[in-house]
Amino acid sequence: MTVPPLATWDNRGSVVKGAEMAKLIKCTCGKIVRGETDEELLANADEHIRTDHPEIVGKIPHEDLLAMAEPA
């Protein structure tokens, strides 16, 4: 069975469709950015980029950030 990328499990071990799970992005600077939803993850990643990497603000598409994400 292939598990969709945004999946969670019910108490019987079945995938709950459409449910999101917490994700994280490990930045090359060592910081870990986390979010409970894709929207929260992207907002937190944008804030991290703004504060710690201003030279790349607007240069990494959200699709690329989500591709870097892994389950938390």
Side-chain angles (χ1 to χ4, degrees):
M1 172 176 154
T2 302
V3 178
L6 299 177
T8 192
W9 303 90
D10 65 16
N11 60 1
R12 296 181 312 242
S14 299
V15 174
V16 177
K17 292 184 179 183
E20 291 190 76
M21 62 185 348
K23 293 181 182 177
L24 60 85
I25 296 172
K26 295 176 185 172
C27 183
T28 57
C29 74
K31 171 123 180 168
I32 295 176
V33 179
R34 180 185 166 98
E36 294 299 317
T37 64
D38 285 353
E39 291 78 19
E40 183 180 22
L41 178 66
L42 292 172
N44 292 342
D46 285 343
E47 178 62 22
H48 170 65
I49 291 168
R50 258 191 310 283
T51 58
D52 296 341
H53 309 289
E55 69 281 1
I56 61 169
V57 168
K59 294 184 180 178
I60 303 175
H62 281 171
E63 294 80 18
D64 291 351
L65 290 172
L66 289 175
M68 291 186 253
E70 55 188 76

